Amino acid sequence: MLRQYKVDLNALMRMYETNYAKLLRLMPRDDNVGVSCVYEIQGHEFQMDIVESTRYTTLLDIWQRGEVPQYLRPRLTVRMYHDARVAEVCTTQQISRIQPRYDYPNPRMHQRNEKHQVNAFLADWLAHCLQNGITKHNIIY
């Protein structure tokens, strides 16, 4: 018998806070909609686009560029809440809205702690970016 997954809200909020602090160091200085920046990390390019910007929130689209098949490209939509100083992954790949937890098994085979996993992936990716000598290229459209 499987035990029901319980969200560790304290751990999730700590991850949101650290992701926010890391994103502040990486996001474009100008937070207007449409502004992008590209990071080259060990031969791979990642792009960060500002999709929405309001007084209290910023919505970022983070994705891998290049010759990688579409289904293998990491793509995350992250909302930054400036008043609370947290950032959470809103969507990823084909998941349009990530639930806090899922019953398992489920029709789409999401993990019970899918929300925690995608935010942990963001934390790992941001740490990788900050540790591996990012070359920043601004894109002007």
Side-chain angles (χ1 to χ4, degrees), residues 6 15 17 19 34 38 50 52-53 92 94 96 138:
K6 294 184 180 173
M15 191 179 333
E17 290 168 353
N19 284 349
V38 176
I50 296 181
E52 178 184 296
S53 182
T92 180
Q94 287 79 31
S96 61
N138 287 331

Side-chain angles (χ1 to χ4, degrees), residues 17-63:
E17 290 168 353
T18 57
N19 284 349
Y20 180 88
K22 291 173 186 175
L23 271 170
L24 277 181
R25 294 175 60 192
L26 294 169
M27 66 182 287
R29 298 290 176 234
D30 181 3
D31 68 345
N32 291 322
V33 173
V35 174
S36 299
C37 58
V38 176
Y39 299 96
E40 183 177 330
I41 306 155
Q42 298 177 343
H44 300 281
E45 286 189 341
F46 296 90
Q47 183 165 330
M48 188 178 298
D49 303 319
I50 296 181
V51 177
E52 178 184 296
S53 182
T54 67
R55 182 175 180 180
Y56 297 108
T57 66
T58 301
L59 189 65
L60 300 168
D61 191 22
I62 304 169
W63 53 284

